Amino acid sequence: MRLHLAEDDSGLSEVLARGLTEAGYVVDVSKDGESTINYLKIYDYSLIILDWNLPKMNGLEIVTFARRNGLTTPILMLTARDQHKDRIAALDAGADDYLIKPFDFGELVARTRALLRRGNVRNTPVISVGNLTFDPEQRTVTVSDSVVELAPREFAILEILLRRSPNLVSRSSIAENGWGDEGDAVGSNTIDVHMARLRSKLVNSNIKIVTLRGVGYKLVSR
């Protein structure tokens, strides 16, 4: 899943982005409101984590812009503002949750999982294909009840292939869901290497990843 983190404190944004990446998410980072809006116009995010006091355009203005333009992505506000009136203003503008600084990183991850479950229902159901079971909430994959250990990018690749199966998934879509800088992945053999590793780990499953050379991949039952 691809998340967007808007935070102008460089030290905090680095720590949060690293922690979220280690938790298995692809994270884009912006440090001002204008950059955040530009990201939101380009990418389809699963969640937006948004600091209130951003330069150029504050978090409340970004929430208002997003909702007025039909963006339904869950939004988690981060802020030191702890007054009830501020919390009410953020929620009324369209934010889905509100976390006051300083906060525990574990709580941020828990709220992230909760918002992904609540705000984007299509991401929550367990997917079963043949003898393979994919659980996006628990981030587990099993084949014939045996756990398959996948690296975060392998998990992201398998997820998008499963959700779009049996349709073709382009290389650019795979890169966007698995890499922060998707241009590097599309223009090299990085995707092919990860795909080969994923195939080797799923060798005992009833699914097959089919390559359409130079175009993309699709997942089919076998």
Side-chain angles (χ1 to χ4, degrees):
M1 293 180 188
R2 195 180 190 107
L3 314 183
H4 188 84
L5 171 65
E7 170 59 64
D8 65 327
D9 183 323
S10 298
L12 179 58
S13 67
E14 182 178 343
V15 170
L16 295 181
R18 182 170 63 249
L20 289 166
T21 299
E22 290 173 354
Y25 302 105
V26 174
V27 184
D28 290 331
V29 178
S30 60
K31 297 184 179 180
D32 64 72
E34 289 182 3
S35 298
T36 303
I37 292 296
N38 289 334
Y39 271 104
L40 300 186
K41 290 178 178 177
I42 297 172
Y43 295 107
D44 181 15
Y45 291 105
S46 297
L47 176 69
I48 302 163
I49 301 174
L50 184 62
D51 180 34
W52 185 311
N53 293 319
L54 292 171
K56 298 185 180 179
M57 188 175 183
N58 68 42
L60 196 61
E61 292 172 321
I62 294 170
V63 173
T64 301
F65 171 87
R67 299 313 186 213
R68 284 180 178 173
N69 286 272
L71 190 67
T72 60
T73 306
I75 298 175
L76 170 60
M77 293 286 288
L78 301 180
T79 178
R81 296 171 180 251
D82 59 359
Q83 299 296 310
H84 288 297
K85 64 179 182 180
D86 295 321
R87 194 173 309 187
I88 291 169
L91 296 173
D92 280 347
D96 296 274
D97 201 358
Y98 192 97
L99 187 57
I100 297 173
K101 299 177 180 178
F103 53 84
D104 180 79
F105 180 73
E107 183 178 358
L108 173 65
V109 174
R111 287 175 182 258
T112 294
R113 290 195 298 263
L115 286 171
L116 290 171
R117 289 195 301 268
R118 178 176 50 177
N120 199 352
V121 176
R122 66 186 174 85
N123 281 331
T124 56
V126 172
I127 301 173
S128 295
V129 180
N131 62 348
L132 182 143
T133 301
F134 178 94
D135 188 333
E137 182 177 338
Q138 300 300 321
R139 299 190 66 79
T140 59
V141 177
T142 59
V143 173
S144 298
D145 297 325
S146 297
V147 175
V148 178
E149 298 292 344
L150 297 183
R153 282 177 177 156
E154 295 165 354
F155 190 92
I157 291 171
L158 179 59
E159 180 170 18
I160 191 172
L161 289 172
L162 282 167
R163 292 195 184 284
R164 299 191 185 178
S165 177
N167 297 320
L168 174 73
V169 182
S170 68
R171 291 175 62 87
S172 60
S173 292
I174 290 172
E176 181 178 324
N177 280 270
W179 280 264
D181 186 355
E182 68 272 16
D184 291 342
V186 172
S188 68
N189 70 339
T190 302
I191 292 177
D192 304 295
V193 170
H194 282 79
M195 201 67 70
R197 292 174 181 166
L198 180 60
R199 282 190 176 108
S200 68
K201 293 181 179 182
L202 301 179
V203 67
N204 294 321
S205 72
N206 294 334
I207 65 172
K208 179 181 180 182
I209 300 173
V210 178
T211 303
L212 278 74
R213 191 166 300 279
V215 180
Y217 305 85
K218 64 179 180 179
L219 187 149
V220 297
S221 299
R222 59 180 177 182

